[in-house]
Amino acid sequence: MTAEIFYPVCARIPTYNGEFQLCIYQESETSKEHLALVMGDPDGKEDVLVRVHSECFTGDVLGSLRCDCGEQLHRAMAMIAESGEGAIIYLRQEGRGIGLEEKLRAYNLQDEGYDTVEANLALGHQADERDYTFAARILENLGIRSIALITNNPSKIEALNSLGMNICRRIPLAPTINPENLRYLNTKAERMRHLLDTRSSESILDDTDN
C-alpha cells in the first residue's frame, strides 16, 4: 500500500448512538477527504467491529428508499455503540465510484427499466468502480489488527484482504425491503454476489401490483 494519506484533525461527536471521534483523512495526491468515525480505543485490538461505507448522499443524508445505504450506515453506528468499540470508515466515492451527477443519470436510466448494473455500463462506467486502498490505510493508521467487517459484499472482503487487512469474520446486514429498492437489492444479490436474502421479495411485488 504505497498511496500516501494523512489526517489533519479529529473531534468529539456526540450522537444519539453515543460519543464518537470523527477524524478527517486526506489523500496526498488528490486531496480527496475520507472519514473515520471511531468509538472507544481500537488501537492494537483484534476482532474490531468495522463498517467500510461508501458515501451515498441520497441514502445517508436524504433517507432515499432507492437503496439500503443509509440504513446500513445508521445500523452500523448502532451496532458499534452497542459493542462499545469500533469504527466506520467513510469513503468519498459516491455511486459506487462514479460520482453523484453520474449516479443521478443512472437513476434516470433505472426509471426507464435498466437495473443498477446496466445503468452504470450504459453510461460508460464499470458496475463498481470503488477502491478500498485508503480504507486499508486508515485502518492501518488506527492500529486495528483484525476486523469483524459489517458487510454483505464479498468483493469488499476480497479487496481488503488483498490490501493486507485481516478480516476474522463477517457481520451481515439484512436490508429492509420496500417496493423502491426491491429490484436494486435483487440485482446486487444476482449480479454482484452480495450475500442477501430477498426471498420475501415476492410479497413486496404482490403489494405493488395491487
Side-chain angles (χ1 to χ4, degrees):
M1 295 183 287
T2 58
E4 293 296 328
I5 195 164
F6 61 92
Y7 58 101
V9 66
C10 296
R12 182 180 66 89
I13 305 294
T15 76
Y16 288 113
N17 289 305
E19 186 171 293
F20 291 82
Q21 284 284 322
L22 180 64
C23 298
I24 295 179
Y25 289 80
Q26 188 176 79
E27 296 183 26
S28 59
E29 292 183 4
T30 66
S31 296
K32 182 181 289 187
E33 293 177 334
H34 306 290
L35 306 170
L37 189 65
V38 183
M39 178 172 281
D41 183 11
D43 188 9
K45 303 285 182 62
E46 303 273 359
D47 196 28
V48 175
L49 200 57
V50 168
R51 164 81 183 161
V52 175
H53 188 89
S54 296
E55 178 180 31
C56 176
F57 174 80
T58 51
D60 298 342
V61 178
L62 302 181
S64 170
L65 299 177
R66 297 186 72 137
C67 65
D68 57 339
C69 303
E71 180 183 30
Q72 287 182 323
L73 174 62
H74 294 289
R75 286 183 60 194
M77 287 180 65
M79 291 166 68
I80 289 169
E82 184 177 356
S83 171
E85 192 166 72
I88 294 173
I89 310 304
Y90 195 87
L91 300 176
R92 311 308 289 271
Q93 42 188 11
E94 177 81 45
R96 298 200 302 273
I98 68 174
L100 182 57
E101 181 177 347
E102 288 295 271
K103 174 180 166 179
L104 296 181
R105 295 183 194 277
Y107 276 173
N108 289 333
L109 289 177
Q110 290 169 42
D111 285 341
E112 295 175 9
Y114 292 73
D115 69 29
T116 182
V117 171
E118 293 165 347
N120 275 28
L121 296 176
L123 291 169
H125 301 289
Q126 299 176 35
D128 191 340
E129 298 185 356
R130 288 175 292 183
D131 180 358
Y132 297 103
T133 301
F134 290 99
R137 292 303 309 271
I138 293 169
L139 289 167
E140 180 184 75
N141 178 267
L142 292 172
I144 296 174
R145 298 179 62 185
S146 67
I147 64 176
L149 187 63
I150 305 171
T151 188
N152 299 321
N153 185 358
S155 295
K156 187 181 296 183
I157 296 171
E158 293 161 3
L160 290 170
N161 273 330
S162 73
L163 291 164
M165 293 310 306
N166 182 8
I167 300 173
C168 55
R169 59 193 174 107
R170 180 183 77 89
I171 310 296
L173 275 175
T176 300
I177 301 173
N178 67 70
E180 293 287 353
N181 70 15
L182 173 59
R183 190 181 185 200
Y184 168 79
L185 294 173
N186 279 331
T187 301
K188 288 209 296 186
E190 294 166 6
R191 301 193 62 179
M192 304 182 75
R193 301 191 297 133
H194 284 227
L195 303 171
L196 295 168
D197 182 0
T198 58
R199 287 176 294 182
S200 60
S201 62
E202 184 175 346
S203 63
I204 300 290
L205 279 173
D206 289 342
D207 288 342
T208 60
D209 290 339
N210 290 335

